[in-house]
Structures are given as C-alpha cells and as structure tokens.
Amino acid sequence: MRIDKYLWCIRYFKTRGLAAEAIKKGHVSVNNVKAKASRDVFPLDKITLRRDQINYSIKVLDIPPSRVAAKIVDLYRKDETPPESFEHLELIKLSKEHYRAKGEGRPTKKDRRDIDEYTE
C-alpha cells in the first residue's frame, strides 16, 4: 500500500491529499529515509512523521484493506511516540493562552507595564 494512502487509512491525516502534501514537504520518513507518496509500506516498517509540532513514531503492524474506524486503528499500527512530545505540545498551548487571546488587539497600559517589568 502507498504511504500516503496508509497514513490516510490509519487516520493520521483527514484526506489523502493532505498526507501526500506532508510527504512532499519532507515531513515523513520510512526506516529513516525520506519517503515519496508512491512508496510502498510493508509490515514492520517504521514511519516517522512530523505533524502539529510533534514527531510521531509509528510501527506498521498490518496493512488495512481501506480506511478504518478510530477504534480499531491500533490493530494496524503501534504508536511509539514518547509521551514527552505530547506534554511539550500542552505547554505550547498553555503558553499561547496565558498572555492574551488571539484578536484582542494592542496591549493595554497594564500589559505594557507587565512587559516592561518582565524585561528589566
């Protein structure tokens, strides 16, 4: 099975086109070699992909016949991503929300004073 189709089948990407685009940008490698969208995937291959600032590590267990339900995805892959990656993503989300919500505009006088105090 092609790697773009495999990543779509095991629900790492919403569409096959998004999977192919990520592969084209060089975010996906198979057995530590950059992959092309047409590369075939076989059981026991190790796939590394970067998505949402996380480097996922996947081990191929089996090839699905078509797109599978989210509940049975674990039959076809083993996720070997370290948990520290997900904790790092949570920290990034919290740091973005801590200062101000997006679209609130320019900093207020209090925000400016806090920024100046922090930088001193």
Side-chain angles (χ1 to χ4, degrees):
M1 176 180 280
R2 293 169 53 112
I3 188 165
D4 60 342
K5 189 173 181 181
Y6 179 78
L7 292 173
W8 169 74
C9 285
I10 62 168
R11 299 184 169 269
Y12 271 91
F13 292 99
K14 191 172 184 176
T15 65
R16 191 168 161 190
L18 290 174
E21 185 178 328
I23 294 167
K24 192 175 187 179
K25 288 181 180 177
H27 295 207
V28 179
S29 61
V30 179
N31 299 328
N32 297 324
V33 177
K34 296 284 183 190
K36 291 185 177 180
S38 62
R39 187 193 191 289
D40 285 335
V41 179
F42 301 101
L44 302 179
D45 279 348
K46 186 173 174 106
I47 300 173
T48 307
L49 70 110
R50 180 159 178 85
R51 198 180 115 220
D52 299 332
Q53 298 182 352
I54 295 180
N55 291 324
Y56 291 94
S57 296
I58 306 164
K59 186 174 183 181
V60 179
L61 298 178
D62 198 9
I63 305 298
S66 63
R67 190 165 167 102
V68 295
K71 290 182 179 180
I72 61 171
V73 166
D74 290 331
L75 296 174
Y76 299 102
R77 60 109 172 132
K78 181 179 180 189
D79 193 358
E80 298 175 343
T81 308
E84 296 86 34
S85 301
F86 298 108
E87 293 169 5
H88 178 68
L89 183 64
E90 288 298 320
L91 287 174
I92 290 172
K93 285 181 183 178
L94 290 174
S95 67
K96 286 182 181 178
E97 294 172 359
H98 175 65
Y99 178 61
R100 64 185 316 118
K102 186 174 180 177
E104 278 191 14
R106 294 171 49 185
T108 62
K109 284 184 179 181
K110 182 179 183 331
D111 292 336
R112 174 56 57 195
R113 283 188 217 108
D114 290 342
I115 291 170
D116 290 341
E117 183 181 313
Y118 177 74
T119 55
E120 290 178 356

